[in-house]
Amino acid sequence: HNPISFGSRETKLRKLILLVTVIILVGCATPMESQRASLQAQKVCCRTFSELTFKPLAQEAQVTFAIDSGSPVFDFPTGKSYVSAFILPAGTSRGIWVSSFFNGMMIGQYFQPIFLFLDDQKKSLASATPTLQFVPVRLTADAQMLGRVRVPDAAEYLVIYTRDFSDKKVTAAIPGTPNVFMAGATLVLIQNPTTRKPLELSATGELRLKVEKISSQ
């Protein structure tokens, strides 16, 4: 028999604790104050919208992207923001579905986009802040905030940014998970009640866009 090595057990325990800690940290969203401080420390990339890099958006195709510390920073009248810019597909009666996913592994932080539509000269045409509704996790999709905006017919370009929304209170209605157990030979299901969770509107996030034809009514 080899003697039990308590040092080996302690090493394994430390490794396990370290692994759990890493998983927790990876799954946590960056605190809002840290995000704001990081954003304010960033240099502004451009003085005009025409200096931004615009990526094409295809009709009926989904595009998923992050807006974070690696994104360009623009100084808007509402303050600094990370931005992402796109070339809109040509046409009229267009709408954009937008999904905003939660930062980290928990329902809590998300990016509330502001859509700034530009004309063919990359001049401001109109802006819209989509009203996003909470969609709980499904088998085919993560939990998200979902909404849609109509695109002005004259719009050819889109700039997405945000502002400090700390003055805005948002909550999500999260359906309760069911408890299932056996009572003798009977399967019993008890549905837990829906809970409301306060959300934070973040300076960073992950978005998914889809441009589609909508009714002209």
Side-chain angles (χ1 to χ4, degrees), residues 6-216:
F6 290 98
S8 177
R9 286 186 178 180
E10 290 173 359
T11 299
K12 290 179 180 179
L13 181 59
R14 284 197 297 268
K15 288 181 178 179
L16 178 60
I17 292 172
L18 178 60
L19 177 61
V20 171
T21 302
V22 169
I23 292 173
I24 292 173
L25 290 176
V26 168
C28 290
T30 304
M32 297 294 289
E33 287 306 316
S34 297
Q35 289 192 38
R36 294 189 186 104
S38 177
L39 173 59
Q40 293 309 312
Q42 299 283 348
K43 291 183 178 180
V44 172
C45 74
C46 320
R47 297 182 64 86
T48 65
F49 296 130
S50 60
E51 298 174 64
L52 292 170
T53 299
F54 291 80
K55 300 176 182 178
L57 270 181
Q59 189 94 351
E60 300 296 335
Q62 289 187 345
V63 57
T64 303
F65 58 97
I67 294 185
D68 55 24
S69 57
S71 305
V73 175
F74 199 91
D75 196 3
F76 294 89
T78 53
K80 282 184 176 181
S81 175
Y82 301 112
V83 299
S84 198
F86 298 93
I87 305 168
L88 292 167
T92 58
S93 301
R94 296 162 294 176
I96 301 178
W97 281 103
V98 54
S99 295
S100 185
F101 298 99
F102 293 101
N103 295 339
M105 298 175 64
M106 306 296 293
I107 295 171
Q109 281 186 16
Y110 73 96
F111 184 95
Q112 171 62 60
I114 301 173
F115 285 30
L116 180 62
F117 297 102
L118 310 179
D119 62 17
D120 59 346
Q121 302 298 310
K122 295 188 174 73
K123 302 296 184 183
S124 177
L125 186 67
S127 66
T129 304
T131 300
L132 304 182
Q133 302 295 327
F134 174 72
V135 179
V137 65
R138 294 162 290 175
L139 289 177
T140 57
D142 294 331
Q144 59 190 266
M145 302 296 289
L146 178 67
R148 190 176 73 170
V149 295
R150 178 181 287 272
V151 179
D153 286 348
E156 294 197 17
Y157 299 94
L158 169 65
V159 174
I160 298 178
Y161 71 105
T162 194
R163 67 169 179 85
D164 183 353
F165 277 105
S166 56
D167 61 329
K168 186 177 178 66
K169 305 300 180 186
V170 182
T171 60
I174 303 176
T177 55
N179 290 332
V180 181
F181 61 93
M182 297 296 296
T186 305
L187 180 68
V188 178
L189 185 148
I190 298 177
Q191 180 66 47
N192 289 315
T194 295
T195 59
R196 300 203 68 88
K197 180 177 177 61
L199 304 176
E200 294 181 308
L201 280 64
S202 171
T204 64
E206 181 180 338
L207 300 180
R208 178 176 295 156
L209 304 180
K210 182 180 181 183
V211 183
E212 63 177 14
K213 190 81 171 178
I214 60 174
S215 171
S216 58

